[in-house]
């Protein structure tokens, strides 16, 4: 019995020593939420821009983000880890470290609810509410594999951030429509975006913004417009309702669906738009069909 007591005491001393001197973080907050890793990742980055003196300093992948936040005169590091639990839910764990944390600070956490803990919980709670509010503002429904028909189109070329895609569209809507209307070109479908590159670490994309048109022998010439024949494409389809600023939420849902079902894709979505963002209106009534092309034998 005496040996057992000594063993327990040794374990307790080792555990306390690890906590006070070796533990790589000061405090851990966790919560479960709706949303996939991509949606949480992008929402966290947007929330970061609303925080004073905050900066994303590292991103290993969609599932880990390191953030520096100012708390009074002290810098705190928030290491966010996102773990998918199902197709629609995730566990978020936030490992928080104070830049000036000390033996005294860690000891205080053991015996009281410190100001550091209160501020950390409040900040993480603020993000959780921000995320929940965002999740109410859009819907994604995957309908399965389909065929996206071939089309001939007039296109402009853009390079933006993911969130900058919609602003690029709004800027080029008038350009395409005015040039096509001036030469009485017949439209032949709804405008669409076709991604050509997607850097998921930097959240940067290059894409074509296009109007499907009837092909003729006499088409208007413009230095910012080119014409292209897009072939028919077999793809996974999703229906997105919400602001086109965040239609990339459907991209991540499609990637998850492809992974779950063992489908190889190009990883470069195509979005077909049914509303003009310049006209405003109820955003949940805006509709876009999002297609994630499947790889062909030639890819």
């Amino acid at each position: 019995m005496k040996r057992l007591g000594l063993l327990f005491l040794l374990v307790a001393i080792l555990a306390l020593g690890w906590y006070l001197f070796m533990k790589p973080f000061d405090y851990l907050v966790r919560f479960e939420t709706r949303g996939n890793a991509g949606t949480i990742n992008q929402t966290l980055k947007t929330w970061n821009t609303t925080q004073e003196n905050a900066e994303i300093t590292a991103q290993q992948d969609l599932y880990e983000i390191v953030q520096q936040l100012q708390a009074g005169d002290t810098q705190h590091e928030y290491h966010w880890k996102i773990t998918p639990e199902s197709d629609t839910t995730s566990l978020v764990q936030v490992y928080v470290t104070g830049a000036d944390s000390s033996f005294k600070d860690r000891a205080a956490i053991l015996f009281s609810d410190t100001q550091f803990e209160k501020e950390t919980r409040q900040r993480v709670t603020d993000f959780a509410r921000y995320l929940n509010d965002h999740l109410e503002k859009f819907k994604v429904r995957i309908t399965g594999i389909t065929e996206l028909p071939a089309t001939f189109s007039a296109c402009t070329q853009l390079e933006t951030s993911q969130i900058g895609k919609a602003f690029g569209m709004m800027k080029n809507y008038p350009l395409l429509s005015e040039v096509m209307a001036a030469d009485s070109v017949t439209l032949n479908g709804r405008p669409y975006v076709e991604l050509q590159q997607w850097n998921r670490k930097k959240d940067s994309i290059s894409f074509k913004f296009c109007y499907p048109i009837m092909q003729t022998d006499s088409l208007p010439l413009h230095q910012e417009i080119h014409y292209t024949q897009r072939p028919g494409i077999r793809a996974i389809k999703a229906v997105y309702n919400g602001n086109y600023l965040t239609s990339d939420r459907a991209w991540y849902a499609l990637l998850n669906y492809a992974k779950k079902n063992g489908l190889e894709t190009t990883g470069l979505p195509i979005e077909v738009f049914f509303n003009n963002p310049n006209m405003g209106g109820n955003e949940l009534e805006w509709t876009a069909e999002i297609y994630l092309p499947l790889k062909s034998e030639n890819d």
Side-chain angles (χ1 to χ4, degrees):
M1 185 66 69
K2 185 176 180 180
R3 286 185 178 180
L4 186 60
L6 288 173
L7 180 61
F8 278 131
L9 178 61
L10 178 61
V11 170
I13 291 172
L14 290 174
L16 182 62
W18 174 82
Y19 172 81
L20 293 174
F21 302 108
M22 299 177 65
K23 187 180 178 184
F25 59 91
D26 295 329
Y27 193 51
L28 170 63
V29 184
R30 57 165 63 94
F31 65 93
E32 293 182 337
T33 183
R34 292 179 294 130
N36 58 47
T39 294
I40 297 168
N41 175 291
Q42 291 299 305
T43 307
L44 176 58
K45 290 172 181 174
T46 304
W47 176 76
N48 177 75
T49 65
T50 70
Q51 304 299 297
E52 189 174 355
N53 297 322
E55 180 185 4
I56 301 295
T57 58
Q59 173 177 300
Q60 183 168 333
D61 49 34
L62 279 181
Y63 306 98
E64 290 194 41
I65 292 179
V66 179
Q67 179 189 37
Q68 292 287 339
L69 285 161
Q70 189 77 23
D73 297 329
T74 306
Q75 282 280 343
H76 290 169
E77 181 180 274
Y78 282 53
H79 189 161
W80 301 77
K81 293 187 178 182
I82 306 163
T83 305
E85 294 190 315
S86 71
D87 292 343
T88 57
T89 61
S90 299
L91 172 67
V92 180
Q93 298 179 94
V94 193
Y95 299 83
V96 184
T97 306
D100 301 324
S101 61
S102 63
F103 170 87
K104 180 181 178 181
D105 296 326
R106 290 197 173 187
I109 290 174
L110 284 174
F111 301 105
S112 65
D113 192 18
T114 65
Q115 189 64 25
F116 168 71
E117 292 173 280
K118 293 176 183 177
E119 290 177 356
T120 299
R121 287 198 302 269
Q122 183 59 55
R123 203 183 291 265
V124 174
T125 299
D126 287 345
F127 169 69
R129 288 173 179 162
Y130 184 92
L131 173 62
N132 286 333
D133 181 60
H134 173 60
L135 291 169
E136 295 298 323
K137 294 179 179 177
F138 72 91
K139 294 183 291 185
V140 177
R141 178 171 57 89
I142 296 177
T143 62
I145 297 174
T146 189
E147 185 81 17
L148 183 61
T151 186
F152 183 79
S153 306
C155 303
T156 58
Q157 185 72 37
L158 297 97
E159 292 185 11
T160 70
S161 62
Q162 281 178 226
I163 200 169
K165 170 179 62 70
F167 296 113
M169 288 165 50
M170 291 171 71
K171 178 183 175 182
N172 282 15
Y173 249 119
L175 169 64
L176 281 169
S177 59
E178 289 171 11
V179 171
M180 296 302 108
D183 283 75
S184 300
V185 174
T186 303
L187 301 183
N188 190 35
R190 300 185 181 278
Y192 66 91
V193 157
E194 182 175 357
L195 261 67
Q196 295 177 298
Q197 291 183 325
W198 179 13
N199 187 321
R200 297 176 200 172
K201 271 199 169 184
K202 296 182 178 179
D203 300 325
S204 64
I205 55 176
S206 65
F207 62 95
K208 294 186 290 188
F209 177 50
C210 304
Y211 268 25
I213 61 172
M214 296 297 293
Q215 186 173 4
T216 67
D217 294 332
S218 178
L219 291 170
L221 298 178
H222 190 284
Q223 61 181 2
E224 294 184 49
I225 296 175
H226 67 276
Y227 299 96
T228 183
Q229 177 69 49
R230 191 192 71 205
I233 297 171
R234 193 164 174 263
I236 314 168
K237 176 184 173 182
V239 177
Y240 170 87
N241 298 106
N243 193 307
Y244 294 157
L245 282 170
T246 54
S247 58
D248 60 352
R249 305 322 187 229
W251 304 357
Y252 296 109
L254 285 165
L255 288 171
N256 287 347
Y257 180 91
K259 183 177 180 180
K260 179 182 177 181
N261 290 277
L263 300 171
E264 285 194 88
T265 72
T266 65
L268 298 171
I270 298 171
E271 303 186 316
V272 180
F273 302 100
F274 288 71
N275 300 85
N276 183 344
N278 291 321
M279 302 302 293
N282 181 355
E283 294 174 358
L284 271 176
E285 294 179 358
W286 295 7
T287 299
E289 292 178 347
I290 317 294
Y291 298 86
L292 187 60
L294 297 171
K295 280 189 176 181
S296 66
E297 293 180 358
N298 298 324
D299 290 330

